[in-house]
Amino acid sequence: LEVARQVFKKRRDLIVERLNGIEGMSVDSPKGAFYAFPSYSVDVPSAELAIILAKNGLICTPGSAFGSYGEGHLRFSYAASEENIRRGMDILSSTIEGL
């Protein structure tokens, strides 16, 4: 159990660091979930942004799926390998920069 906890803490810290390193994205460190829910500042609805990201190879949930207060956010799982998290954050970064 402790090994799994450390693995997920490392993944959480990685995704939080990468998300906060992307201009216009901001996230607090999740306290008990396997998801990060960053806000973003680009002027694109979350459902549309999630589709753009999916076309670029990154699957996420639009914040609007969680109600009107979720708009302007995306939900990312970090129950993935560190390699996949890095790859996903690379896709996110290049997509956001291109908007």
Side-chain angles (χ1 to χ4, degrees):
L1 186 61
E2 185 57 34
V3 172
R5 188 173 301 143
Q6 291 305 315
V7 166
F8 280 102
K9 180 183 182 305
K10 192 171 179 184
R11 291 174 182 176
R12 180 200 65 199
D13 293 348
L14 171 63
I15 201 167
V16 167
E17 178 182 340
R18 291 293 307 270
L19 286 166
N20 284 325
I22 298 171
E23 188 172 340
M25 308 250 358
S26 178
V27 68
D28 291 330
S29 187
K31 300 294 185 242
F34 299 108
Y35 302 97
F37 198 64
S39 63
Y40 64 87
S41 63
V42 294
D43 190 24
V44 178
S46 62
E48 185 177 331
L49 184 52
I51 290 170
I52 293 167
L53 288 166
K55 288 179 180 177
N56 290 339
L58 176 59
I59 303 300
C60 66
T61 304
S64 60
F66 301 96
S68 61
Y69 290 108
E71 186 55 67
H73 294 76
L74 297 168
R75 184 182 189 215
F76 297 98
S77 170
Y78 56 88
S81 69
E82 289 180 43
E83 177 184 342
N84 285 342
I85 292 170
R86 284 188 187 92
R87 190 176 316 132
M89 294 300 98
D90 289 346
I91 292 168
L92 177 63
S93 180
S94 64
T95 301
I96 294 293
E97 287 174 10
L99 294 176

